[in-house]
Amino acid sequence: MSANVCIIIAIVVYLGAMLYVGFAFSKNNSNAEDFYLGGRKMGPFVTAMSAEASDMSSWLLMGLPGVAYLSGICSAAWTAIGLGIGTWLNWFFVSRRLRRYSSNIGAITVPDFFSKRYHDKKNIINAIAAIVIIIFFVPYTASGFAACGKLFHTLFGVDYMAAMIVSALVIIGYTIMGGFGAVCTTDLIQSIVMSIALVTVVTYGINSAGGFAAVMDNARALPGYLSLNNTFDAANNASNSFSFISIVSTLAWGIGYFGMPHILVRFMAIEDEKKLTFSRRIASVWVVIAMTVGIFIGVVGLAMTKAGSLENLADSETVIVRITGLISRHGVIAALIAGVILAGILAATMSTSDSQLLTAASGVSQNILHDFFHIEMDEKKSLLTARLTIVAIAVVAVFMARNPNSSVFGIVSFAWAGFGAAFGAVMLCALFWKRSTLAGAISGMVAGGVMVFVWKYLVRPLGGAFDIYELLPAFLVSLVVIVVVSFLTQKPSEEVLAEFDKAAEK
């Protein structure tokens, strides 16, 4: 049996299992709350692992190792540090209060929470938030589909578009059938498969490179490769300084967590807020270990290239795929394991894409059609609308991902900035500042989202002190606008203040 056949068998079995989970959960969706929040019945372990699996995406297994392979650990490490801190802060400060507050006011999506938190009778903030979700989630989902297409094209020479469409159909399939419950359960499975993939690849890679000592010797020999103040320049075999501004810029990835709707909705769905402490510990430990191993795979991959066991990579984001191809050549068992590893890459992509599709669908069907345009639908029609929305969004995402040369890391970076800037400061003020107003929240959301585009395309190209990741300045602008506009507008009503106090109770 050839290696490719074994790999395909493992992947097909995996994809079939994901579809089965969707079918199994399809019987549990009797209303919108079941479809979007799993009836608020998620356990602490599922909540933790599904949140982190949907967070990491293909960026963990493709983008992060690719950055380390190409330029050393500096940029990747500071990004990972920022994300690790942001993960813990989000679970520690936001999760419990958001779970309590959203339950108290009956909110089932993030835009719905904003609308009910600020008593927006016209649902303007609801609609704006839903539009923001669509704007940034469609390209984010497209990057996931692109990763799937790139994976199969690199391995088997399969047509990129065909591979991407098949992957998208599987993701669409179990998402529209099972809703949030299926998404969280598949995310748990996918986080386990991702962990297996990381451990297997790094172990094999170290052995192929000549051992851990050889890997570290190779890294030390490259100027700036292991430095946290310099990056490695492969073209000139030299190091380039990584400035303080660059460090702050990459650390800023962490503040994006406060505005990620596909992660925040996990907090809203857990069965008991007291179990969030356990979830926080599991999530924080897993994400730190996973990112550390992901970075080290890039280091190991370059050592393998130096040792001659891996060719020079034109696309550094395929380093895990290439190493997996080598594993598959060592017999049937090894090829099946390689299939599991590649399923792990699919898992990383699918676990984010499914969450994004579900969140975007809720934005259209629940927040725009139902809440803003007041189109009345019974539960059956509401669920049908959500499912049709998922299909429509996926079609647009497939169209956007038709270019096989798109960068997974680059697209994820921009979408992350968009959500962090548009929603991050609004969420923190909604949860922790009772004086914030509807006008302030709307103004801050719009200002943050717009500033992401302004900074990335007009300001950042100026270079120098302006070469900062767009999330940081956009988040700060959003926060300042919320505060200023809130003070300039009428104080919230006693009813709103009473709801806030209830959510803030220990």
Side-chain angles (χ1 to χ4, degrees):
M1 188 181 294
S2 71
N4 283 355
V5 171
C6 292
I7 290 172
I8 292 172
I9 289 174
I11 292 176
V12 168
V13 169
Y14 172 78
L15 295 179
M18 296 302 99
L19 286 172
Y20 174 76
V21 170
F23 174 75
F25 274 87
S26 64
K27 304 170 185 178
N28 300 332
N29 295 318
S30 58
N31 55 49
E33 186 174 54
D34 287 339
F35 192 74
Y36 294 130
L37 282 183
R40 298 189 199 267
K41 299 174 184 175
M42 295 297 107
F45 190 74
V46 173
T47 299
M49 296 309 293
S50 68
E52 298 318 312
S54 64
D55 163 21
M56 288 293 108
S57 75
S58 52
W59 174 83
L60 174 66
L61 297 183
M62 297 183 77
L64 195 61
V67 171
Y69 179 96
L70 198 62
S71 62
I73 71 167
C74 185
S75 179
W78 283 115
T79 302
I81 291 169
L83 290 173
I85 295 171
T87 296
W88 187 86
L89 290 174
N90 204 28
W91 280 95
F92 188 80
F93 288 107
V94 174
S95 63
R96 179 170 294 196
R97 185 168 291 197
L98 179 58
R99 170 63 176 84
R100 185 184 307 156
Y101 212 151
S102 63
S103 179
N104 288 348
I105 60 179
I108 61 174
T109 68
V110 171
D112 191 31
F113 168 74
F114 288 143
S115 183
K116 290 179 177 177
R117 155 66 174 89
Y118 289 108
H119 287 228
D120 181 9
K121 299 292 192 297
K122 297 181 180 179
N123 285 303
I124 296 174
I125 194 171
N126 212 333
I128 293 174
I131 291 170
V132 169
I133 285 174
I134 295 167
I135 289 173
F136 290 108
F137 260 160
V138 171
Y140 208 150
T141 303
S143 75
F145 290 168
C148 291
K150 186 184 292 188
L151 168 66
F152 287 108
H153 178 71
T154 302
L155 271 177
F156 309 119
V158 177
D159 179 71
Y160 169 81
M161 277 296 293
M164 182 181 62
I165 290 172
V166 170
S167 302
L169 287 174
V170 173
I171 297 170
I172 294 167
Y174 72 75
T175 303
I176 64 175
M177 282 193 296
F180 189 81
V183 165
C184 285
T185 302
T186 52
D187 285 353
L188 171 62
I189 297 169
Q190 288 155 357
S191 67
I192 295 170
V193 175
M194 288 158 65
S195 300
I196 294 171
L198 286 167
V199 172
T200 305
V201 167
V202 77
T203 302
Y204 175 84
I206 290 171
N207 184 62
S208 298
F212 182 79
V215 171
M216 297 309 297
D217 286 343
N218 175 69
R220 291 190 194 98
L222 302 174
Y225 195 84
L226 292 180
S227 171
L228 289 178
N229 299 312
N230 297 279
T231 57
F232 172 61
D233 180 358
N236 301 309
N237 194 36
S239 65
N240 294 324
S241 176
F242 200 72
S243 67
F244 176 75
I245 290 178
S246 297
I247 291 174
V248 173
S249 181
T250 47
L251 281 174
W253 274 73
I255 62 177
Y257 278 108
F258 303 129
M260 296 299 134
H262 59 300
I263 298 173
L264 295 169
V265 75
R266 263 67 180 180
F267 303 156
M268 298 164 65
I270 195 168
E271 60 186 353
D272 184 352
E273 67 176 67
K274 294 178 182 177
K275 296 181 179 180
L276 284 165
T277 299
F278 176 73
S279 297
R280 181 184 74 241
R281 291 168 182 166
I282 294 294
S284 300
V285 170
W286 186 84
V287 78
V288 169
I289 293 175
M291 288 191 296
T292 301
V293 175
I295 292 171
F296 192 60
I297 285 174
V299 178
V300 170
L302 193 61
M304 291 175 67
T305 299
K306 179 71 173 181
S309 56
L310 184 69
E311 75 274 21
N312 277 306
L313 302 180
D315 183 354
S316 63
E317 290 186 345
T318 63
V319 59
I320 285 186
V321 179
R322 296 296 187 183
I323 295 174
T324 303
L326 297 177
I327 294 174
S328 69
R329 300 174 186 174
H330 295 276
V332 174
I333 301 299
L336 290 172
I337 292 173
V340 173
I341 295 170
L342 295 173
I345 298 176
L346 278 177
T349 302
M350 293 166 68
S351 61
T352 301
S353 296
D354 55 22
S355 300
Q356 292 162 348
L357 283 171
L358 191 62
T359 304
S362 70
V364 173
S365 62
Q366 185 72 25
N367 305 131
I368 294 179
L369 297 181
H370 182 271
D371 297 335
F372 185 71
F373 287 111
H374 303 292
I375 298 176
E376 292 301 325
M377 296 178 282
D378 58 26
E379 294 294 352
K380 189 174 182 179
K381 289 183 179 179
S382 178
L383 292 177
L384 177 61
T385 302
R387 287 165 172 149
L388 290 176
T389 303
I390 288 172
V391 174
I393 291 171
V395 169
V396 176
V398 167
F399 179 77
M400 290 183 65
R402 66 191 185 280
N403 178 14
N405 297 318
S406 55
S407 168
V408 172
F409 188 89
I411 297 175
V412 170
S413 172
F414 181 66
W416 187 269
F419 284 120
F423 290 159
V426 178
M427 178 59 72
L428 292 177
C429 289
L431 292 174
F432 296 100
W433 187 36
K434 67 166 65 178
R435 179 63 179 82
S436 62
T437 65
L438 173 61
I442 292 175
S443 302
M445 187 179 295
V446 173
V450 170
M451 183 54 67
V452 168
F453 288 91
V454 171
W455 195 276
K456 181 175 178 63
Y457 295 109
L458 298 179
V459 180
R460 194 171 185 181
L462 297 175
F466 297 107
D467 188 17
I468 299 173
Y469 180 33
E470 53 271 17
L471 170 56
L472 182 57
F475 177 90
L476 294 175
V477 166
S478 175
L479 183 60
V480 170
V481 169
I482 293 170
V483 172
V484 171
V485 175
S486 291
F487 276 124
L488 292 176
T489 50
Q490 186 176 357
K491 185 180 179 181
S493 67
E494 292 300 322
E495 184 182 1
V496 174
L497 296 176
E499 285 178 353
F500 183 92
D501 291 336
K502 186 178 180 181
E505 291 174 0
K506 298 292 184 183

